[in-house]
Structures are given as C-alpha cells and as structure tokens.
Amino acid sequence: VFLRSDQEDKEALQLLQDSTYPAMKLQLQSLFLKVNDKQMSDSLNAIFARFEHLIVIENKMMVTLQKFEDYDDPVKKMEAERIVEDELLPRTASLNNSVNVIISKMQGTISEKNIQLNRSFINLRILITILAISIIFLGIFLAVYMSAIIITPINKIRNIINDLGKGITRKVNDTIKNDEIGEMVRSVNNLAEKLQATATFATEVGNRNFQIPFKPLSREDTLGTALVAMRDNIK
C-alpha cells in the first residue's frame, strides 16, 4: 500500500496466502488432534476462521492496487490505506493476542505434562527400586528355604550314610514331608532300622539265643542269609 515498488513483499504475501498458510493449517490441525483438547482445538479453528476472513480483506486490497498505475489513483490509494488502518491492523493485532493466549495455554500444558512426566519417572524409579529390593529378599528367602528344606536334610542323610559305612546305625530325626526329600529320609531310616535289626540279631546269636527269629530282607539279602546260616551252624 505505501511502497508501490516493493514487489518482493507482495510476492511474499501471495505465497503466504497460497501455500504457507494452508500447509501450516494442516500441520497445526494434525498436532492439535494429538493434544486431544476440544477447547484448544475450537480456539484454534476460530483463529483460522478469523485469519481467512483477514485474507479476504487482504485480497480486496490487493485487487485495488493490482497495477503499478493504481497507486496514482487517489481513490484507490485512500481505499487501500483505509483497509490497512481500519481493517488489517486491528484484526491482525486481535489475532496476535488470540495466538498468544493459545501459546500461553500450550506452554502451561507443556509445563503440566513435564511435571507429570517427572512424577512418573520418580514413581518408576521407586517401583524399580522396590522390585530390585524385593528380588534380592526373594533370592535370600529362596536360598534359606532351599537350605532348610533340601540341603539340610541331604547333609543329614549323607552323614548317616557315612556313619553306616563306619558301622554306626542311627536315623534321621527330622520332620518327614511327602516329597522327594521325605522319600529319601524314609528310605535311609528304613535302611538304618534294618541294619539295627540285623545287628541285634547278631548280638543275640552271640549271646547263644538261637531261638531269636530273623527274616532276611529279601532273596538277594546275602548278609541276612549268611547270618541265618551262621546261627544254625553255631546252634
């Protein structure tokens, strides 16, 4: 309006209306869909409507001063100046204020989201710490439990078997459960009882009690069979 030879700014205004604004509008609408705030989206759409009405006014001014000679026509020149002063500048200032309001709201939303993100991060860190401590205590508990339930009875069984190898017969004095370890304990105790019975039988035979009954553990019980034969031979 005031600089008839400033063709560069005129082309920039035309480019803004034809491509820059439509592309930016699509981008903003896509981004605001992710924000999922209806009030903010409505405010943005209202700004789009007002800006597009401003473009209509700009086009009216651009048509008025379309040619270089139009700047010499005082009626056209004054009409264009009136449009700038009465329409474009006030509407642009109002639009800027509305955009600044949206920017302030978005900055507030960003700050709120950052606070929520920091809280979530702190909660996640606390959760990870709790999980780590829980896993450590669970590992310690499992170690103690395995030691009490499995390792300790196995060590007792091993000691009893070693004692049996030395001729000492005794049983595992422990709570017998219905599991694999309990079956092993019962088997070892049964072996100790049988060997103790065999030892008792041999002692009685040594004391010339040839009437004491004794039954071999099985057909393959070579020790029991030999003891019965020894009793009969000594008798």
Side-chain angles (χ1 to χ4, degrees), residues 111-126:
S111 299
E112 182 180 351
K113 295 297 182 182
N114 285 333
I115 293 174
Q116 293 177 359
L117 183 62
N118 289 332
R119 289 176 180 173
S120 299
F121 176 74
I122 294 174
N123 293 334
L124 179 61
R125 185 168 58 183
I126 293 173

Side-chain angles (χ1 to χ4, degrees), residues 175-198:
T175 303
I176 300 177
K177 298 182 179 180
N178 293 323
D179 54 14
E180 288 77 7
I181 300 299
E183 292 294 330
M184 292 175 62
V185 171
R186 277 189 285 270
S187 297
V188 171
N189 286 342
N190 183 56
L191 175 61
E193 289 176 358
K194 298 299 183 182
L195 291 177
Q196 183 62 44
T198 301

Side-chain angles (χ1 to χ4, degrees), residues 8-173:
E8 183 178 352
D9 274 355
K10 297 177 182 179
E11 293 174 354
L13 178 59
Q14 192 69 53
L15 179 65
L16 185 146
Q17 294 178 352
D18 294 341
S19 59
T20 304
Y21 166 70
M24 187 174 296
K25 178 180 178 180
L26 290 176
Q27 182 182 8
L28 285 174
Q29 286 176 333
S30 175
L31 291 173
F32 268 71
L33 286 176
K34 299 179 181 179
V35 175
N36 195 22
D37 188 333
K38 188 177 184 304
Q39 183 179 0
M40 296 282 285
S41 298
D42 291 342
S43 299
L44 184 67
N45 290 329
I47 289 178
F48 287 150
R50 291 164 59 192
F51 186 75
E52 287 165 6
H53 183 66
L54 184 65
I55 290 177
V56 173
I57 298 174
E58 288 176 349
N59 287 330
K60 181 179 178 182
M61 178 195 66
M62 293 163 68
V63 170
T64 302
L65 299 177
Q66 192 169 11
K67 299 177 183 179
F68 191 81
E69 293 79 10
D70 291 336
Y71 286 86
D72 295 328
D73 188 336
V75 176
K76 292 183 178 180
K77 189 73 164 50
M78 291 181 63
E79 176 63 16
E81 291 177 356
R82 185 197 66 78
I83 291 174
V84 170
E85 294 175 356
D86 297 344
E87 298 286 346
L88 293 182
L89 294 181
R91 291 177 182 272
T92 300
S94 176
L95 277 171
N96 279 330
N97 292 333
S98 299
V99 171
N100 288 332
V101 170
I102 288 185
I103 291 174
S104 299
K105 290 183 178 179
M106 289 302 300
Q107 288 175 343
T109 301
I110 291 172
S111 299
E112 182 180 351
K113 295 297 182 182
N114 285 333
I115 293 174
Q116 293 177 359
L117 183 62
N118 289 332
R119 289 176 180 173
S120 299
F121 176 74
I122 294 174
N123 293 334
L124 179 61
R125 185 168 58 183
I126 293 173
L127 178 61
I128 292 174
T129 303
I130 293 174
L131 287 176
I133 295 174
S134 300
I135 290 172
I136 292 173
F137 278 105
L138 180 62
I140 295 174
F141 170 76
L142 288 177
V144 174
Y145 177 79
M146 295 290 286
S147 176
I149 300 301
I150 298 177
I151 298 177
T152 301
I154 288 179
N155 286 333
K156 291 181 179 180
I157 293 172
R158 182 191 62 187
N159 293 332
I160 290 176
I161 293 175
N162 290 333
D163 290 341
L164 290 176
K166 300 175 183 178
I168 304 172
T169 57
R170 61 187 181 90
K171 297 193 298 183
V172 178
N173 295 322

